[in-house]
Amino acid sequence: MNALFKALNDEVRRDILTLLKSSDLSAGEIADHFAIGRPTISHHLDLLRQAELVTSEKKGQYIYYSINTSVLDEVLKWIYTLGEEKDHKYIRPKGLHIKTTKK
Amino acid sequence: MNALFKALNDEVRRDILTLLKSSDLSAGEIADHFAIGRPTISHHLDLLRQAELVTSEKKGQYIYYSINTSVLDEVLKWIYTLGEEKDHKYIRPKGLHIKTTKK
DNA sequence: AATTTATTTCGATATTTGTCGAAATATAGA
DNA sequence: TCTATATTTCGACAAATATCGAAATAAATT
């Protein structure tokens, strides 16, 4: 939970996740989208990996990163329970597909 | 969005929110739940207020804090859109009441 | 008016964090 | 094997953050 919120508490890292939602990318391809150095991107990717928000796989010379949104269920659940007892009912943004059955 | 994630990126502040979900509390009552100094709690409350996660109202000598979960809709929406295009369907934790209609 | 109580603001400090350039590691291709 | 490319690790540094005690502010009580 801590690692998760820590990972999300950075604009660059959130943007990386947004990038990865469309397709898997190599570290270099990710870095190309930002005006900061590659070692810094590497560090951000490391934090995302620690939070299990991304996975990485080496393919030859490249390392490809993929997003893993399943760990965000925990965050969602925490937010839900917060709103629960205060009579705030969260809205479901239209066009999204939320599974209501058990996992 | 930035202030929101920043506010959530701290165990103490998340615990304060959890406390406030049951009932409004004065700054002192909140501080009594933690082993850290009152100035520190005051600072945490300030960050929560900046993120609009809490509101405060002065009543005589005391300042009462209330949780405001509505701003978390933005976070929820962001998380939803992340999962959307990766075929991850978020589960709804059982026992929770999520309004599926428009607000 | 003086004192007590509740809370915040201030100034200082130690830790964490984001960033960089240089060096290290590893794979690919000549 | 040598060189080029991709990525990470390392060491350093500046900025941000969590924390504290002391002082300031404000309301309540005597």
Side-chain angles (χ1 to χ4, degrees):
Chain A
M1 196 72 158
N2 242 313
L4 215 40
F5 277 114
K6 178 194 282 194
L8 294 175
N9 184 32
D10 184 276
E11 186 86 45
V12 172
R13 289 193 291 271
R14 290 196 300 271
D15 286 347
I16 290 175
L17 291 177
T18 301
L19 271 180
L20 290 178
K21 87 178 180 186
S22 305
S23 64
D24 297 347
L25 295 173
S26 70
E29 290 171 322
I30 294 170
D32 287 343
H33 286 81
F34 300 92
I36 59 183
R38 272 133 214 270
T40 303
I41 295 292
S42 193
H43 175 242
H44 283 310
L45 289 170
D46 188 41
L47 289 181
L48 287 171
R49 196 170 25 207
Q50 279 176 43
E52 294 182 83
L53 279 163
V54 302
T55 57
S56 62
E57 193 185 355
K58 187 154 197 171
K59 280 188 177 157
Q61 206 174 5
Y62 303 90
I63 301 181
Y64 282 93
Y65 284 86
S66 312
I67 195 173
N68 171 38
T69 55
S70 67
V71 290
L72 289 170
D73 283 341
E74 204 185 342
V75 175
L76 286 183
K77 198 167 161 184
W78 185 81
I79 292 179
Y80 283 136
T81 55
L82 257 197
E84 223 187 348
E85 319 202 1
K86 276 296 263 192
D87 283 335
H88 177 69
K89 302 295 185 289
Y90 291 108
I91 54 166
R92 178 174 65 176
K94 72 176 169 184
L96 299 187
H97 315 290
I98 305 162
K99 259 254 170 56
T100 55
T101 54
K102 69 281 161 223
K103 201 298 195 51
Chain B
M1 197 70 158
N2 241 313
L4 215 41
F5 277 114
K6 176 194 283 193
L8 294 176
N9 184 32
D10 184 278
E11 186 85 45
V12 172
R13 290 194 290 271
R14 290 195 300 271
D15 286 348
I16 290 175
L17 291 176
T18 302
L19 271 180
L20 289 177
K21 88 177 178 185
S22 305
S23 64
D24 298 347
L25 295 173
S26 70
E29 289 172 321
I30 293 170
D32 287 342
H33 286 81
F34 299 92
I36 58 183
R38 270 133 215 268
T40 304
I41 295 293
S42 193
H43 174 243
H44 283 309
L45 289 170
D46 188 43
L47 289 182
L48 288 170
R49 196 170 25 207
Q50 279 176 43
E52 295 182 81
L53 280 164
V54 303
T55 58
S56 62
E57 194 186 354
K58 185 155 198 172
K59 280 189 178 155
Q61 205 174 5
Y62 303 89
I63 301 180
Y64 282 92
Y65 284 85
S66 312
I67 195 173
N68 171 37
T69 56
S70 68
V71 290
L72 289 170
D73 282 342
E74 204 186 341
V75 175
L76 285 183
K77 200 167 161 185
W78 184 80
I79 292 179
Y80 283 136
T81 56
L82 257 198
E84 225 188 344
E85 318 201 1
K86 275 297 261 192
D87 283 334
H88 176 69
K89 302 297 186 289
Y90 290 108
I91 54 166
R92 177 173 67 177
K94 72 176 169 183
L96 299 185
H97 315 290
I98 305 161
K99 260 256 169 54
T100 56
T101 55
K102 69 279 160 225
K103 205 275 195 66

